[in-house]
Amino acid sequence: MGTGKRGLLATAVAVVCAITVLGAPGTAFASPIPAPTTTSTPTPTAGAQAPALPSTATADKNLEAVRARLETLYHDAAVATDAYNAAEEAAQKQSAEIVELAKKIVAGQQKLAELKDRAGAAARAQYRTGGLPDEAQLMLSNDPSEFLDGAGRVRQGQRATKGLITQLTRTQQDLEQYSKDASAQWAKLEAGRKIKAAAQKKIEKQISEAEKLESRLEKKEKARLEELERQSAQKAQTAWLDTGILHEIDSAASVQGKKAVQFATAQVGKPYVWGAEGPDSFDCSGLTSEAWKSAGRAMPRTSQEQWQQLPHVPVEDMRPGDLIIYFSDASHVAMYVGDGSIIHAPRPGRTVTLAGAGSMPILGVVRPDA
């Protein structure tokens, strides 16, 4: 889930892989809950008792509802981002295939023209002999031995002509197949454009709604919301560490893993931008894929494809450089950097940051250089 790579048909756009609310997000996504609105307190009339201010517990409960709603919105945007990025990656491959097919068609047409010229020359040579059977030409020849030498050459020419016809037929068939393949790739490209457009629309809608929701909060509420987010992440991380998992995780990073970690670490502080692959901003899978590319390993672009295509390793066997996939739908990915920590690009409004590896629900671990 970069600033997107532009394919041969200008099919690159940037996409979001946002899924969490925090630099270290919460532990679960909740169903949408309406956000509370902030209203001014009316001036009490004479003799009337001023209304009681909401308690801290009540305010926190309302903010928890806001936090849950934000997580839902950003999670939905992250899922749409994976769909967008997958369509973008497919479009680049399809565009490249169309170009290669076009080259084959041009080469095939040139070959066909050459074969037709050669076949025409052979036909003209046969015409000059009058098309008589070999027996008749032998009977009419003044020098039978010369004719027999010539007849051998004629038979060679006939075989060559037959070979030309075979090549012509095969080349024509190849051209027809190339054309069909190109048409199929164009159809896939068009379908991919529709998927990308729908995904982009959903991404922008979810992010816009989330930003609108946050904009309605007062400054103190925003600060408290961030504190609740940190507390939720810390609670999840503590529970994960309390399992004793770090006593089992002691593998050293590979040479390539160290390079990937160095790249990811150097990006800390850069903003999250959906679909971005650097160098100035990243989304979650844009960060992990570019980090491993810098280490000499090409890998799938989206978190879901990384989960599906890369080798899985047990959590207790992970080492720095491995990728941790989060949530049941594999909608977020981070890089494990050791000591129970990850580096990841959380979601819109956040920057690439260090967080606890257990601060989100772990689906599993994959190893790009297994």
Side-chain angles (χ1 to χ4, degrees):
M1 301 189 280
T3 34
K5 297 176 180 153
R6 296 192 177 276
L8 294 163
L9 302 176
T11 53
V13 188
V15 180
V16 168
C17 144
I19 62 171
T20 63
V21 177
L22 302 166
T27 59
F29 293 114
S31 58
I33 302 175
T37 56
T38 304
T39 57
S40 59
T41 304
T43 303
T45 56
Q49 185 177 354
L53 294 174
S55 65
T56 301
T58 300
D60 282 357
K61 183 177 180 181
N62 291 338
L63 286 174
E64 280 292 351
V66 173
R67 187 173 72 85
R69 177 60 178 157
L70 288 173
E71 285 186 343
T72 299
L73 292 169
Y74 284 123
H75 172 263
D76 289 348
V79 174
T81 292
D82 251 9
Y84 183 101
N85 284 336
E88 165 65 13
E89 189 175 42
Q92 291 178 2
K93 291 178 181 178
Q94 288 153 7
S95 297
E97 288 179 13
I98 289 171
V99 169
E100 289 304 311
L101 286 167
K103 290 178 181 178
K104 289 181 179 180
I105 289 173
V106 170
Q109 288 172 335
Q110 293 173 342
K111 182 178 180 181
L112 189 63
E114 179 187 344
L115 290 171
K116 285 181 177 179
D117 287 343
R118 288 169 59 190
R124 289 190 294 273
Q126 186 176 10
Y127 175 78
R128 283 194 296 271
T129 67
L132 293 174
D134 290 346
E135 295 84 351
Q137 292 187 53
L138 176 61
M139 293 290 293
L140 297 174
S141 174
N142 293 324
D143 187 344
S145 62
E146 182 180 348
F147 168 77
L148 290 173
D149 289 341
R153 289 192 294 272
V154 168
R155 282 193 291 271
Q156 291 176 355
Q158 289 172 340
R159 285 194 294 270
T161 301
K162 186 177 180 180
L164 276 173
I165 293 173
T166 300
Q167 288 187 62
L168 274 166
T169 303
R170 186 181 302 119
T171 301
Q172 288 173 327
Q173 291 172 343
D174 287 345
L175 283 171
E176 290 175 3
Q177 188 60 50
Y178 295 153
S179 296
K180 290 179 182 178
D181 291 345
S183 295
Q185 290 301 330
W186 274 111
K188 289 180 181 178
L189 197 60
E190 185 59 29
R193 283 181 181 146
K194 293 179 180 178
I195 292 173
K196 283 173 58 180
Q200 181 176 356
K201 185 177 181 180
K202 183 172 183 179
I203 291 163
E204 293 172 344
K205 178 183 178 182
Q206 300 303 98
I207 293 176
S208 175
E209 188 174 342
E211 291 173 343
K212 194 177 298 182
L213 177 57
E214 289 183 286
S215 71
R216 293 203 297 262
L217 298 175
E218 298 290 345
K219 186 175 181 180
K220 289 183 179 180
E221 290 177 316
K222 290 180 180 178
R224 181 56 182 162
L225 178 62
E226 290 185 11
E227 178 59 28
L228 291 173
E229 291 173 348
R230 284 192 291 270
Q231 289 177 5
S232 177
Q234 185 58 45
K235 181 180 178 181
Q237 174 72 354
T238 299
W240 185 68
L241 293 176
D242 285 347
T243 64
I245 189 68
L246 283 191
H247 295 302
E248 301 180 58
I249 302 174
D250 58 1
S251 299
S254 65
V255 173
Q256 285 184 308
K258 288 180 181 178
K259 291 181 180 179
V261 169
Q262 288 172 353
F263 179 95
T265 302
Q267 314 313 313
V268 169
K270 292 184 178 180
Y272 177 103
V273 173
W274 62 282
E277 299 172 281
D280 300 321
S281 57
F282 296 87
D283 66 18
C284 69
S285 58
L287 175 64
T288 55
S289 60
E290 288 300 303
W292 271 101
K293 185 184 293 184
S294 75
R297 283 274 179 169
M299 57 184 292
R301 171 64 177 86
T302 71
S303 59
Q304 293 177 346
E305 289 175 326
Q306 289 169 7
W307 173 243
Q308 292 169 1
Q309 298 181 31
L310 298 178
H312 293 200
V313 296
V315 174
E316 60 270 19
D317 293 337
M318 70 179 173
R319 64 193 187 194
D322 287 348
L323 306 182
I324 303 180
I325 309 296
Y326 291 97
F327 305 103
S328 61
D329 55 5
S331 54
H332 191 62
V333 60
M335 179 175 291
Y336 184 67
V337 294
D339 296 325
S341 299
I342 57 170
I343 287 177
H344 72 147
R347 53 95 160 167
R350 298 288 190 266
T351 60
V352 176
T353 189
L354 193 71
S359 59
M360 296 170 281
I362 295 175
L363 177 60
V365 178
V366 296
R367 180 165 295 165
D369 63 339

